[in-house]
């Protein structure tokens, strides 16, 4: 290619002048356009984590049960019996804003590939979605497209979508977040890695053909949006879930043989990142003949082939002489199979097209020596604590109705009923609970999984918000009776070149790291999505936590639905009536101020251990963690989940303002339904764990009552269930 490398061309590739000077030093010459494009994607924020890796290195990543931490396609943990769980979460934010259906669909496809490329059969998908305010002109269109894309891809590929989050806030008006998580199962001794090995071994391309879709997707995902962002539609890939299903089956069938040396999916930056990363991890070089790459469009240049992000493609290194074994399997599944190159001992990437050398680059400087920035950062100012006595008092049950109808707390049934959450037949706790639970097929054990973060806390105090996101995930797993094992994260922030945004990143990662250490909850994989800004307006800091835990006996799993009349409602954990940064303050008082609730990690750990012990001993009829909206919302959710609409009468203490007791968002709390026969033992166990536990009410009737007033569970259910279908049906313009 003879395109002149001008400062404009360099800037269009997202490369800063000092980075270009480094490229010249590495090469000892000017790059050509193909080489510049390769540097552009490999050194993009999306692929290199150049603003965050300094801080990501501080996260705890090891534990006796961690088989593989960050650095591979996904994290791997030991779940006993010779089995491993493999999981990761990734963002597809920018593409989903530009083209919601395909953006979300290909986000699901990409994260599935990250998991099955390591030898796991995917058993569950989750997601965490953030949209703009409901009244915004684009929000309804984006919700419809994203949900249809997630459902369309996951349903067709035959993997259940079992859990997630969906919130609305004006900060996401110009930058929605679509974070997708996949959990898979593999045999511990059959895990596949991406480090290339064996000079002369064939480099094999499998899956779909390469087209011009997705070119510069990684670069697009590493820049702020402006008023011309709609023009970036060609950078969004197009997904085909039916091809992905064939690819899963073909790869798993090939993995049952003994022919794969290394395997990597082609995700962001496509053939470029997969080939560079595999060669770099193996300390080798690679030579590719791009004429051999299966293409679905004519006249594609080396630049386009290397930067295409066409979906459903994998790269693998095979043992010599085993090519025909592999080809037979991919032919059977009607997928492309092409030997496109060989491994070399040169440490260089040489690309040929039409007999000409189109690129000749050293591998390690591209894959390992990408820029690492210690960007200037400023910690946000501490917010003052909101005193409960100064907050206006609203009648609790009227306030409860308002909260249950607000976009964040309204039932998301309209969303998850579009997902097949029961396919494969092992989903034992479906969406709507604290954590999804999926049985390990053919066994008595199960995996629990969740996605969590409270962005308004992270804005108020990113350090506490980071701690709280991890603690909330720990709590949600504990609430179903599962032992929390490990975390994957998806760090969504604005422009890291602004010191106040970089301060959010640093503080959130510090908080997450501390919580993971104290809760013995290591980070095994993750993803960073920065530059989530439009015309200078950043999203709320949103460090999403995905987490997986183990239930040794699925039969002992707890659910949140009240079961029967006449049982004690026990509150575990301390209540001080914390209203700062709460939903009550926002929805009832129109305020988004105040310090968020502090997280006491030693108490969080003890409370989680207590609750898991009580559930395992069969002393708990129902369990629910107390989070957004506080105690009264949690009680209402337990009542609404009850098939018989079992209600509860609560007795508030006189020591706190009623609104603070009902709606304070103090952390580390659970609500338990306990039979009278078991109550003394439950309180005794709590004392052993040095954890506060007190009876706050009794189940019974079909109403929720507090402060001398009552409301029917059926009425609450109708309010909670109606907002989202009404909004999506166009019956209401917003909140």
């Amino acid at each position: 290619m003879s395109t002149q490398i001008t400062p404009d061309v360099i800037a269009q590739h997202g490369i800063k002048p000092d980075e270009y000077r480094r490229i010249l030093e590495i090469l000892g010459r000017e790059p050509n356009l193909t080489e510049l494009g390769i540097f552009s994607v490999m050194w993009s924020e999306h692929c290199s984590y150049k603003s965050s890796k300094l801080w990501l290195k501080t996260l705890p990543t090891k534990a006796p049960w961690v088989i593989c931490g960050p650095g591979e396609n996904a994290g791997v943990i030991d779940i006993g019996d010779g089995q491993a769980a493999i999981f990761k979460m990734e963002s597809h934010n920018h593409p989903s804003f530009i083209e919601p259906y395909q953006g979300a669909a290909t986000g699901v496809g990409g994260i599935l590939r990250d998991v099955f490329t390591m030898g796991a059969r995917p058993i569950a998908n989750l997601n965490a979605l953030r949209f703009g305010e409901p009244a915004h002109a684009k929000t309804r269109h984006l919700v419809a497209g994203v949900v249809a894309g997630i459902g369309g891809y996951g349903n067709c590929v035959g993997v259940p979508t079992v859990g997630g989050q969906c919130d609305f806030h004006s900060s996401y008006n110009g930058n929605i977040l679509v974070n997708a998580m996949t959990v898979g199962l593999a045999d511990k001794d059959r895990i596949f890695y991406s480090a290339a090995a064996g000079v002369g071994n064939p480099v094999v391309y499998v899956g779909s053909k390469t087209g011009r879709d997705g070119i510069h997707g990684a670069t697009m995902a590493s820049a702020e949006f402006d008023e011309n962002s709609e023009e970036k539609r060609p950078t969004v890939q197009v997904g085909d879930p039916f091809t992905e299903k064939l690819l899963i089956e073909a790869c798993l069938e090939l993995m049952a043989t003994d022919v794969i040396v290394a395997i990597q999916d082609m995700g962001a930056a496509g053939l470029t990142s997969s080939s560079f990363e595999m060669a770099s991890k193996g300390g080798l070089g690679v030579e590719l003949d791009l004429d051999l790459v299966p293409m679905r469009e004519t006249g594609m240049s080396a630049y386009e082939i290397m930067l295409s992000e066409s979906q459903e493609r994998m790269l693998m290194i095979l043992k010599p002489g085993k090519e025909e074994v592999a080809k037979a399997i991919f032919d059977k599944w009607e997928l492309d199979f092409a030997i496109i190159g060989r491994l070399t001992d040169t440490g260089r990437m040489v690309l040929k097209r039409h007999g000409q050398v189109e690129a000749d680059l050293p591998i390690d400087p591209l894959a390992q020596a990408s820029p690492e920035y210690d960007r200037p950062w400023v910690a946000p100012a501490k917010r003052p604590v909101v005193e409960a006595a100064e907050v206006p008092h609203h009648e609790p049950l009227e306030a409860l109705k308002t909260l249950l109808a607000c976009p964040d707390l309204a039932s998301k049934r309209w969303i998850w009923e579009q997902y097949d959450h029961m396919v494969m037949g092992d989903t034992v706790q479906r969406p709507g609970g604290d954590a999804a639970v999926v049985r390990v097929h053919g066994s008595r054990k199960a995996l629990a999984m969740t996605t969590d973060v409270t962005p308004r806390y992270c804005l108020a105090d990113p350090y506490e918000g980071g701690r709280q996101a991890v603690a909330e995930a720990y709590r949600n797993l504990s609430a179903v009776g599962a032992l929390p094992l490990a975390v994957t994260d998806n760090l969504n922030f604005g422009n890291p070149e602004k010191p106040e945004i970089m301060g959010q990143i640093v503080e959130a990662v510090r908080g997450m790291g501390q919580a993971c250490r104290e809760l013995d909850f290591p980070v095994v994989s993750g993803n960073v999505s920065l530059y989530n800004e439009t015309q200078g307006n950043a999203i709320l800091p949103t460090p999403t936590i995905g987490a997986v835990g183990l239930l040794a006996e699925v039969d002992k799993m707890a659910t949140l639905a009240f079961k029967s009349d006449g049982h004690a409602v026990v509150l575990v954990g301390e209540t001080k009536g914390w209203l700062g940064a709460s939903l009550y303050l926002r929805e009832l008082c129109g305020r988004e101020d105040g310090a968020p609730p502090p997280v006491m990690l030693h108490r969080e750990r003890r409370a989680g251990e207590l609750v898991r012990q009580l559930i395992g001993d069969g002393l708990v009829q129902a369990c629910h963690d107390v989070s957004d909206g506080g105690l009264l919302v949690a009680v209402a959710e337990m009542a609404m989940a009850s098939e018989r609409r079992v209600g509860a009468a609560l007795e508030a203490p006189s020591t706190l303002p009623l609104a603070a007791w009902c709606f304070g968002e103090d952390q580390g709390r659970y609500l338990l339904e306990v039979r009278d026969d078991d109550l003394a033992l439950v309180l005794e166990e709590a004392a052993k764990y040095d954890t506060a536990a007190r009876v706050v009410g009794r189940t019974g009737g079909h109403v929720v009552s507090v402060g001398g007033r009552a409301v029917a569970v059926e009425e609450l259910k109708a309010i909670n269930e109606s907002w989202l279908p009404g909004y999506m049906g166009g019956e209401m313009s917003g909140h």
Side-chain angles (χ1 to χ4, degrees), residues 569-586:
V569 178
V570 176
L571 177 62
V572 171
E574 294 195 357
T575 301
K576 294 190 173 162
W578 195 281
L579 289 173
S582 67
L583 281 184
Y584 178 87
L585 202 64
R586 189 180 85 191

Side-chain angles (χ1 to χ4, degrees), residues 451-479:
T451 62
D452 293 290
V453 65
T454 309
R456 64 180 186 279
Y457 293 170
C458 296
L459 179 69
D461 183 337
Y463 177 72
E464 281 298 335
R467 283 156 47 98
Q468 191 274 340
V470 173
E472 170 96 9
Y474 182 88
R475 213 178 302 139
N476 278 328
L477 297 177
S478 297

Side-chain angles (χ1 to χ4, degrees), residues 388 393-397 577 579 584 631-632 650-664 706-709:
H393 174 81
H394 293 265
E395 197 284 311
L397 296 181
L579 289 173
Y584 178 87
L631 173 65
L632 192 55
L650 300 182
E651 292 175 25
S654 55
T655 50
L656 280 175
L658 188 55
W661 186 77
C662 288
F663 304 111
V706 67
R709 303 274 296 272

Side-chain angles (χ1 to χ4, degrees), residues 226 344 528:
D226 55 30
T344 68
V528 178

Side-chain angles (χ1 to χ4, degrees), residues 209-262:
K209 288 180 167 57
T210 294
R212 288 189 170 95
D213 52 332
I215 292 172
H216 274 305
T219 312
M220 180 268 291
S222 305
E224 283 186 39
F225 277 166
D226 55 30
E227 66 275 10
N228 301 318
S229 293
E230 293 292 337
E231 295 168 11
K232 295 183 178 179
R233 195 176 296 266
T235 60
V236 180
Q237 314 93 318
V238 178
D240 178 354
F242 297 107
T243 299
E244 181 105 339
K245 175 63 173 167
L246 300 178
L247 191 58
I248 292 173
E249 299 305 332
C251 286
L252 292 177
E253 185 173 330
L254 186 62
M255 286 163 170
T257 68
D258 192 29
V259 308
I260 298 175
V261 175

Side-chain angles (χ1 to χ4, degrees), residues 21 54 137 144 150 157 176 303 425 486 508 526 581 626 669 687:
R21 285 194 292 276
L54 180 71
I150 291 169
V157 88
I176 63 171
Y303 178 98
V626 181
R669 297 185 299 162

